[in-house]
Amino acid sequence: MSVAIITGSSRGLGRALAETLLAEGWIVHGFARSVQSLAHPRFQPHVVDVGDEASVHAAVAAVLAAAGRVDLLINNAGAASMNALLLTPAATAAALMRVNYLGAWHCLQAVGKAMVRQRAGLVINLTTVAVPLALSGEAAYVASKAAVEALTKVAAAELQGQGVRVNAVGLGPLDTDLTRAVGAEKLAVLNQRIGRPRGTLLAEAVDFIAQEWRQPTSASGTIRYLGQLT
Amino acid sequence: MVPFTRDAAVRLVLARLALLGQELGKPALAQADEQTRLFGEASPLDSIGLVTLMADLEEDIFQATGRRITIADEKAMSRLTSPFRRVGLLADHIVELVHSSHA
């Protein structure tokens, strides 16, 4: 049975991804800072702060002790902050880098070693259409996700020879806690720019991401964005 | 548990190099000894091979000692004489890490 780790699995997209993988027969280990309510015989919750290296490495060691392998890592945990560049406190930029970039970094390092030992594995990093759009008002968030995209490409180049694929998937706004603070008008403009004027349902986002594990391919280092970027 | 000795560390590294040699099609790795270079032009390993060696060895060490260590730690990276230069130096470094780690 295949084994997955999903970060940020307590709610929103992370939880939906966990439920999808469970429905498809996977064993799922969910990393989140808070207690998780998802109950399933093949779901194992872990209390993890992805920005803390020791916390991540301890949790991954626990997964390996229990499951013996990791076939799929989804770096989904993320934080967002919308503010003009000149009004964004440096502490906010640092906090976003810690969760979005370093969180992916720590998980990739810890799980990547296991995948190299297996000579197989798939890592999916979550990014955003806001990066190619260079979206105004999201400098700290966009920069942290751009770092994730760069990490994706370098990791893919370094690990491909050992059978480990690393790809990124970029989404537009979804109806989750992450976008709740964004005004409806701004969301509508953004959805228009990516060619999805009606917005994106959670299930559509899950299907888009799931192509990475449902459709086996040797592609690594790719970054796919949902929608038509204009 | 039996103390983890330098000889044991050397044996682990050489055994893993031999296995990697089979996998990478580099039979010379089966003839490695304590003086074998692990990186640089004189090494039979490329950078990906070195990374793979470290990842595999960390698991080998865990299986042998019950200790989880990170071979490429901050201390190793900042040393004047890199512990990754030769097999013997790597074995010294591994023994130090195992002895300073917690079960």
Side-chain angles (χ1 to χ4, degrees), chain B residues 85-99:
Chain B
R85 184 175 291 179
R86 295 182 190 278
V87 168
L89 291 170
L90 178 59
D92 291 335
H93 178 60
I94 288 171
V95 170
E96 192 178 321
L97 287 174
V98 169
H99 288 168

Side-chain angles (χ1 to χ4, degrees), chain A residues 3-163:
Chain A
V3 180
I5 291 175
I6 304 176
T7 68
S9 56
S10 63
R11 57 191 175 174
L13 180 61
R15 179 170 173 140
L17 287 165
E19 289 170 339
T20 300
L21 285 164
L22 289 166
E24 293 179 12
W26 290 67
I27 294 169
V28 179
H29 291 261
F31 290 6
R33 281 181 301 173
S34 54
V35 174
Q36 302 180 66
S37 58
L38 178 56
H40 190 285
R42 280 183 278 105
F43 180 75
Q44 180 65 52
H46 301 258
V47 177
V48 181
D49 174 1
V50 294
D52 182 279
E53 183 179 15
S55 175
V56 169
H57 281 256
V60 171
V63 172
L64 291 171
R69 61 183 292 111
V70 180
D71 301 284
L72 172 65
L73 165 65
I74 304 180
N75 279 315
N76 163 74
S81 176
M82 315 305 165
N83 206 345
L85 165 65
L86 300 185
L87 302 178
T88 302
T92 300
L96 294 191
M97 287 300 278
R98 181 180 183 276
V99 174
N100 295 346
Y101 169 62
L102 279 179
W105 172 278
H106 295 322
C107 291
L108 184 50
Q109 272 204 329
V111 175
K113 279 186 183 176
M115 289 180 169
V116 165
R117 286 194 289 269
Q118 297 163 191
R119 310 292 193 263
L122 170 63
V123 178
I124 305 171
N125 293 326
L126 268 289
T127 180
T128 167
V129 296
V131 173
L133 291 174
L135 212 57
S136 296
E138 301 189 8
Y141 179 60
V142 168
S144 69
K145 288 297 191 181
V148 169
E149 294 188 6
L151 175 64
T152 299
K153 292 177 183 174
V154 176
E158 290 195 8
L159 302 178
Q160 192 166 22
Q162 302 303 337

Side-chain angles (χ1 to χ4, degrees), chain B residues 10-88:
Chain B
V10 170
R11 280 197 299 274
L12 274 184
V13 176
L14 293 179
R16 179 49 64 182
L17 279 172
L19 287 173
L20 264 183
Q22 288 175 17
E23 183 181 336
L24 301 174
K26 295 182 175 177
L29 285 171
Q31 313 302 320
D33 58 28
E34 286 198 33
Q35 297 306 313
T36 298
R37 307 269 314 205
L38 293 174
F39 71 82
E41 285 185 12
S43 170
L45 290 174
D46 59 13
S47 59
I48 301 297
L50 182 62
V51 169
T52 307
L53 173 67
M54 300 306 162
D56 288 347
L57 273 177
E58 287 180 6
E59 185 63 22
D60 293 342
I61 291 157
F62 176 67
Q63 295 299 328
T65 68
R67 308 286 176 93
R68 288 247 176 240
I69 63 167
T70 299
I71 295 175
D73 64 354
E74 298 278 353
K75 205 162 76 175
M77 305 311 277
S78 60
R79 278 188 175 162
L80 286 177
T81 302
S82 169
F84 310 122
R85 184 175 291 179
R86 295 182 190 278
V87 168

